[in-house]
């Protein structure tokens, strides 16, 4: 801005001395340069903020799959961490949260929506995506196809007078068993079941046990029983003891499992393999990017639909064919486009 003004003034002074321009026009010219370059510079900085920085994109929530057939969407809350310099020897960061919906068929962006640190996705219901914000103390139902609010908390509680001024905004106080069946631990210390089809509410202390089961189910893999899950874990540990950091990503029986492991310690990639527990063999292996910073709630997410695996790791969504592990596409959450 200073250089531009000096160059402008150099030419204008000559014209002023020759009486081709006056001082008033020169002042307005300098002001125009300062305003225009300030606006353009601000636009460039805002638009490309972090474009050349080592931005980390981390998975903040489990994947929510909505839709059917070829109209499936994967919805996630993502955390973008942008380095903001070093102060007193401590690296500071700017953190931004975004809800992102990706079309699983072709890997195109469906919609994005700014989120917050204390905003949580409970799950998909018949009313839309149930989201609670503990900071703003609000509950909303979002349209999974557009990302816009369909039903506000005020509109929703009008159907259920028992829940008015009785809702918690803690994610652990909600459990969506299905799209129609929601269990709530309310502020009055009672447990409620909400039938979203018939718009009815019932209260019972027995619902406490159901609500507590959400924690045990969240650690289960494809609905395996605890006994089967333990058997699969022991089989993977025994058969593939030479692999580093073996982790079970998916299994629906005792025959086949999808595992991840490192080829070398501190490797920035992990190998994802489909293994046969009956034949003690590895069917295929595909390397994907991986980075665990110790700050993420979910460093990797795995979903399966039909003959495809959808894996989110290191800010990327991988679509892998179950038959051979070939990568159909890689979606980058940093730029919200295909890689």
């Amino acid at each position: 801005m200073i250089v531009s003004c000096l160059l402008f003034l150099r030419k204008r002074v000559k014209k002023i001395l020759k009486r081709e321009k006056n001082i008033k026009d020169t002042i307005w010219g300098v002001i125009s340069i300062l305003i225009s370059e300030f606006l353009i510079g601000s636009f460039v900085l805002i638009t490309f903020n972090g474009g050349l920085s080592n931005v980390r994109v981390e998975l903040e929530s489990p994947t929510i799959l909505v839709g059917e057939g070829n109209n499936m969407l994967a919805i996630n809350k993502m955390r973008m961490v942008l380095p903001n310099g070093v102060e007193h020897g401590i690296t500071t960061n700017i953190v931004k949260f975004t809800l992102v919906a990706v079309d699983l068929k072709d890997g195109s962006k469906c919609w994005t929506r700014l989120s917050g640190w204390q905003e949580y996705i409970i799950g998909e219901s018949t009313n839309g995506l149930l989201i609670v914000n503990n900071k703003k103390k609000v509950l909303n139902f979002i349209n999974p196809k557009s990302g816009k609010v369909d039903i506000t908390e005020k509109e929703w509680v009008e159907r259920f007078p028992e829940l008015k001024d009785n809702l918690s905004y803690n994610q652990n106080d909600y459990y969506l068993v299905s799209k129609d069946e929601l269990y709530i631990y309310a502020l009055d210390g009672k447990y409620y079941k909400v039938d979203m089809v018939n718009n009815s509410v019932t209260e019972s202390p027995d619902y406490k046990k159901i609500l507590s089961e959400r924690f045990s189910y969240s650690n289960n893999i494809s609905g395996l029983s605890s006994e089967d899950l333990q058997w699969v874990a022991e089989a993977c540990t025994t058969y593939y003891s030479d692999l580093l950091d073996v982790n079970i990503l998916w299994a629906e029986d005792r025959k086949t499992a999808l595992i991840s492991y490192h080829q070398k310690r501190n490797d920035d990639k992990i190998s994802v393999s489909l293994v046969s527990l009956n034949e003690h063999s590895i069917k295929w292996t595909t390397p994907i990017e991986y980075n665990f910073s110790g700050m993420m709630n979910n460093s990797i997410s795995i979903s399966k639909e039909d003959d495809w695996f959808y894996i989110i790791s290191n800010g990327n969504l991988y679509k892998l064919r179950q038959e051979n592990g070939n990568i159909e596409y890689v979606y980058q959450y940093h730029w919200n486009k295909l890689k």
Side-chain angles (χ1 to χ4, degrees):
M1 294 169 69
I2 294 174
V3 172
S4 299
C5 290
L6 291 176
L7 292 175
F8 175 78
L9 289 173
R10 181 183 176 186
K11 294 181 180 181
R12 279 303 178 99
V13 169
K14 293 180 179 179
K15 292 184 178 182
I16 291 174
L17 294 176
K18 295 179 181 180
R19 297 186 177 181
E20 296 177 0
K21 294 288 183 179
N22 56 45
I23 297 177
K24 183 178 180 181
D25 291 339
T26 302
I27 294 174
W28 279 112
V30 173
I31 293 174
S32 299
I33 291 175
L34 292 175
I35 293 175
S36 60
E37 291 199 356
F38 174 77
L39 294 176
I40 294 173
S42 299
F43 172 78
V44 171
L45 289 174
I46 293 172
T47 304
F48 297 98
N49 183 26
L52 300 177
S53 302
N54 185 25
V55 178
R56 298 198 317 270
V57 180
E58 304 170 349
L59 186 62
E60 183 68 16
S61 74
T63 303
I64 304 294
L65 298 182
V66 300
E68 296 179 355
N70 292 327
N71 298 316
M72 295 286 295
L73 298 179
I75 301 176
N76 289 91
K77 179 181 174 183
M78 306 300 296
R79 173 206 299 252
M80 181 176 288
V81 183
L82 174 65
N84 193 35
V86 179
E87 185 176 351
H88 303 298
I90 300 174
T91 302
T92 58
N93 299 311
I94 297 175
V95 181
K96 182 177 73 172
F97 298 92
T98 312
L99 298 181
V100 184
V102 180
D103 190 326
L104 292 180
K105 181 180 179 181
D106 56 9
S108 60
K109 180 185 72 175
C110 185
W111 54 264
T112 61
R113 185 174 186 270
L114 287 178
S115 183
W117 172 49
Q118 292 179 310
E119 185 176 60
Y120 307 101
I121 306 176
I122 304 301
E124 183 192 12
S125 71
T126 54
N127 294 323
L129 288 177
L130 173 57
I131 293 181
V132 295
N133 193 314
N134 195 27
K135 183 177 181 179
K136 296 182 178 180
K137 306 299 180 184
V138 67
L139 173 151
N140 287 314
F141 289 90
I142 293 178
N143 189 322
K145 295 182 179 179
S146 65
K148 298 180 179 179
V149 175
D150 263 358
I151 303 175
T152 64
E153 177 182 334
K154 182 180 179 181
E155 295 169 338
W156 190 62
V157 296
E158 286 178 353
R159 309 174 188 175
F160 316 107
E162 302 92 333
L163 301 180
K164 186 176 181 181
D165 298 325
N166 198 20
L167 290 174
S168 163
Y169 301 101
N170 187 331
Q171 63 170 332
N172 295 329
D173 293 336
Y174 294 86
Y175 180 31
L176 264 169
V177 175
S178 66
K179 293 182 180 181
D180 307 330
E181 191 175 348
L182 172 66
Y183 290 87
I184 299 175
Y185 180 39
L187 296 180
D188 60 5
K190 297 180 180 179
Y191 295 86
Y192 294 89
K193 172 186 173 183
V194 181
D195 187 333
M196 296 194 182
V197 175
N198 300 314
N199 288 331
S200 62
V201 176
T202 54
E203 182 269 325
S204 172
D206 297 335
Y207 297 152
K208 178 179 180 180
K209 181 179 180 182
I210 298 176
L211 194 66
S212 63
E213 288 176 350
R214 70 183 297 272
F215 299 104
S216 59
Y217 286 144
S218 64
N219 295 324
N220 209 341
I221 300 176
S222 298
L224 286 181
S225 64
S226 300
E227 182 181 349
D228 287 340
L229 182 58
Q230 183 178 358
W231 188 93
V232 171
E234 291 176 354
C236 290
T237 303
T238 303
Y239 303 152
Y240 309 103
S241 58
D242 56 327
L243 304 179
L244 297 175
D245 305 323
V246 176
N247 184 34
I248 303 172
L249 300 179
W250 168 87
E252 58 185 8
D253 51 39
R254 295 189 178 191
K255 298 178 181 179
T256 307
L258 188 73
I259 65 172
S260 66
Y261 56 91
H262 285 99
Q263 296 284 0
K264 297 180 181 179
R265 293 174 57 193
N266 299 327
D267 198 354
D268 58 357
K269 289 188 175 182
I270 59 171
S271 296
V272 175
S273 296
L274 189 68
V275 299
S276 172
L277 301 178
N278 291 336
E279 301 174 0
H280 306 176
S281 62
I282 296 178
K283 295 183 177 181
W284 52 257
T285 300
T286 301
I288 64 173
E289 295 180 13
Y290 179 81
N291 179 33
F292 179 67
S293 66
M295 296 294 292
M296 292 173 283
N297 292 334
N298 306 274
S299 56
I300 188 169
S301 171
I302 173 74
S303 303
K304 183 181 181 298
E305 284 295 323
D306 297 329
D307 299 326
W308 300 94
F309 288 114
Y310 299 94
I311 301 176
I312 298 179
S313 176
N314 200 33
N316 298 314
L317 168 61
Y318 297 84
K319 181 178 181 180
L320 275 66
R321 188 180 294 275
Q322 181 180 0
E323 180 183 5
N324 50 28
N326 290 344
I327 298 177
E328 180 77 3
Y329 62 71
V330 181
Y331 180 88
Q332 293 178 301
Y333 284 98
H334 184 183
W335 304 110
N336 282 314
K337 66 177 185 178
L338 292 178
K339 190 172 183 179

